[in-house]
């Protein structure tokens, strides 16, 4: 079975789980409407719409891993939904933190309803994620395993916010090295993707060795995924990414291509200025070109994805869902949005 067939089976289940998790509070349909807007279910006037809802990469990986190790996906469904809720919480807050006006081809929540509502809307989704995870026990997951999952989830939340802290702190630093970059990305992106594969394996009943192998797969795939996001943030096309192009340069984000050229005197002097203009952005782009920073980042993305594949090899399963994960990992590397 190929990845599209798994997607076709999993996504309707996931969507109903998410809709129940975010169902309207009494008389608060505008508040829940903001969350439903972000999820792609409603438009800005709270009318039903079919809008881009994201790739659902993390819950797909969670359910695939569960099935790969021979588990019942119903047992992992609350974890998959909780992970997607946590991811969406992090995006709502990330768009405030990054002052981003566009996400998934649409205006961001905080741009539409203001920063205060954006923060509160994200908080609600964060809480809904924990409530959703609590449903594991209703699906027959043994209490010890469910407690384990709660701990992994909490640790992941902390790592994600640590990564976001570093991402913001680095905006005003010119001495970020590869180690610091990896710590940031390990936290803000790889931790949640590793959590998805770890919980999938754990809830599917895999042994410790396989759980670690799948977690290693998620971690390295997450690093590769963020490096590609960094490349798209500079050279991607807005019509494809659905996010504002070049904003990573304007906000002086220490993405991998930039970290690679931080020693360049022209870049250092540009990034020491009070304000950056569109012309300065063009100059940054030519510094990146001069050092072939894009090829460097692409090479790194390949390295992390090769590591991810090695972890997958080590998991020791040959089930159809396990096999589908190879294709899925490769398809993510060629993404343009
Ligand atoms: C965006 O993640 C944030 C990053 C970690 C790069 P995705 O690219 O998975 O976002 P959606 O859910 O598909 O929009
Ligand atoms: C991704 O942050 C990580 C989280 C949202 C936790 P970025 O700021 O790099 O991702 P995009 O480009 O806004 O999606
Ligand atoms: Mg960010
Ligand atoms: Mg961002």
């Amino acid at each position: 079975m190929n990845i599209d067939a798994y997607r076709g089976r999993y996504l309707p289940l996931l969507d109903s789980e998410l809709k129940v998790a975010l169902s309207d509070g009494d008389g608060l349909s505008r508040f829940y409407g903001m969350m439903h807007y972000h999820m792609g279910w409603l438009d800005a006037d709270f009318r039903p719409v079919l809008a881009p809802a994201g790739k659902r990469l993390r819950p797909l990986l969670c359910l695939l891993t569960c099935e790969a190790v021979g588990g019942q996906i119903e047992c992992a469904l609350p974890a998959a939904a909780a992970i997607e809720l946590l991811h969406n919480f992090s995006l709502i807050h990330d768009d405030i933190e990054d002052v981003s006006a566009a996400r998934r081809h649409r205006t961001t929540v905080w741009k539409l309803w203001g920063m205060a509502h954006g923060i509160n809307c994200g908080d609600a989704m964060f809480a809904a994620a924990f409530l959703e995870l609590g449903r594991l026990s209703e699906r027959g997951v043994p209490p010890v395993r469910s407690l384990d999952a709660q701990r992994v989830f909490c640790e992941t939340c902390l790592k994600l916010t640590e990564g976001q802290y570093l991402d913001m702190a680095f905006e005003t630093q010119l001495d970020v090295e590869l180690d610091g970059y990896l710590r940031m990305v390990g936290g803000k992106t790889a931790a949640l993707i590793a959590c998805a594969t770890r919980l999938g394996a754990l809830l599917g009943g895999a042994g410790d060795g396989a759980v670690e192998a799948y977690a290693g797969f998620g971690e390295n795939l997450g690093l590769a995924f963020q490096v590609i996001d960094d490349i798209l943030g500079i050279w991607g096309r807005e019509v494809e990414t659905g996010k504002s192009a070049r904003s990573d340069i304007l906000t002086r984000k220490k993405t991998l291509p930039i970290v690679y050229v931080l020693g360049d005197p022209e870049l250092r002097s540009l990034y020491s200025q009070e304000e950056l203009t569109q012309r300065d952005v063009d100059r940054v782009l030519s510094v990146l070109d001069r050092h072939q920073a894009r090829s460097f980042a692409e090479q790194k993305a390949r390295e992390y994805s090769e590591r991810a594949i090695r972890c997958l090899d080590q998991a020791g399963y040959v089930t159809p869902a396990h096999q589908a994960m190879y294709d899925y990992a490769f398809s993510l590397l060629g993404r343009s949005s």
Side-chain angles (χ1 to χ4, degrees):
M1 203 153 61
N2 68 18
I3 188 65
D4 287 331
Y6 285 104
R7 195 182 274 119
R9 256 182 61 212
Y10 295 163
L11 289 192
L13 293 172
L14 178 72
D15 240 47
S16 5
E17 190 82 15
L18 288 170
K19 285 195 169 135
V20 173
L22 292 180
S23 45
D24 273 15
D26 199 15
L28 293 174
S29 57
R30 289 179 68 83
F31 174 44
Y32 283 85
M34 294 176 195
M35 291 179 243
H36 296 186
Y37 167 84
H38 175 82
M39 296 301 284
W41 303 332
L42 296 181
D43 68 14
D45 296 314
F46 307 123
R47 288 175 307 218
V49 71
L50 258 185
K55 296 176 281 299
R56 304 281 198 241
L57 134 86
R58 298 156 189 80
L60 272 172
L61 282 173
C62 180
L63 297 175
L64 260 178
T65 313
C66 174
E67 188 158 340
V69 301
Q72 299 292 321
I73 58 160
E74 288 71 24
C75 296
L77 198 54
I83 285 167
E84 186 62 15
L85 290 167
L86 189 73
H87 167 59
N88 280 281
F89 136 77
S90 81
L91 295 183
I92 294 173
H93 279 198
D94 177 75
D95 288 335
I96 297 172
E97 291 158 358
D98 290 349
V99 201
S100 301
R103 155 102 36 214
R104 297 175 180 156
H105 304 273
R106 301 203 299 165
T107 308
T108 46
V109 169
W110 76 273
K111 261 283 173 192
L112 278 172
W113 293 290
M115 195 125 64
H117 278 303
I119 294 170
N120 192 48
C121 188
D123 289 345
M125 221 177 279
F126 184 78
F130 278 87
L131 273 179
E132 179 59 30
L133 195 68
R135 301 207 167 97
L136 283 173
S137 50
E138 294 167 20
R139 310 289 161 90
V141 174
V144 173
R145 203 174 279 172
S146 166
L147 266 178
D148 240 10
Q150 303 271 355
R151 181 184 44 77
V152 168
F153 197 73
C154 290
E155 286 170 356
T156 303
C157 292
L158 206 54
K159 280 194 203 145
L160 190 147
T161 53
E162 287 170 3
Q164 290 291 75
Y165 162 76
L166 290 173
D167 178 279
M168 291 183 272
F170 287 169
E171 285 181 19
T172 51
Q173 288 179 33
L174 275 179
D175 52 1
V176 180
E177 306 210 343
L178 191 60
D179 272 6
Y181 170 83
L182 287 175
R183 189 152 185 224
M184 161 183 74
V185 167
K188 73 169 186 168
T189 303
L192 190 54
I193 299 181
C195 172
T197 49
R198 179 182 289 281
L199 291 189
L202 187 79
L203 296 165
D208 290 350
V211 170
E212 289 312 317
Y214 282 112
F217 165 68
E219 167 83 21
N220 285 293
L221 186 69
L223 296 176
F225 185 82
Q226 183 60 52
V227 172
I228 291 165
D229 199 70
D230 288 358
I231 295 171
L232 292 174
I234 298 175
W235 294 284
R237 283 155 36 88
E238 224 167 281
V239 283
E240 285 179 300
T241 63
K243 302 184 263 202
S244 332
R246 296 176 162 202
S247 68
D248 281 352
I249 294 181
L250 284 169
T251 51
R252 291 163 232 226
K253 289 289 188 193
K254 299 307 175 303
T255 59
L256 189 59
I258 293 289
V259 167
Y260 185 60
V261 301
L262 274 181
D264 183 281
E266 186 180 356
L267 192 279
R268 291 184 86 81
S269 107
L270 283 166
Y271 270 21
S272 304
Q273 290 173 194
E274 199 68 29
E275 288 287 327
L276 286 177
T277 63
Q278 283 299 334
R279 263 202 63 186
D280 295 330
V281 173
D282 289 334
R283 286 179 63 192
V284 171
L285 286 170
S286 58
V287 172
L288 289 165
D289 270 355
R290 197 159 64 235
H291 292 275
Q292 292 164 335
R294 184 178 182 156
S295 310
F296 169 77
E298 284 170 348
Q299 176 54 31
K300 279 284 167 203
R302 270 193 297 276
E303 262 173 56
Y304 292 118
S305 48
E306 280 158 14
R307 284 189 206 179
I309 297 299
R310 279 201 292 279
C311 292
L312 212 45
D313 292 339
Q314 281 160 16
Y317 284 89
V318 285
T319 52
H322 178 85
Q323 295 309 121
M325 291 170 89
Y326 287 91
D327 290 346
Y328 193 39
F330 285 120
S331 74
L332 284 173
L333 300 176
R335 78 196 170 99
S336 59
S337 68

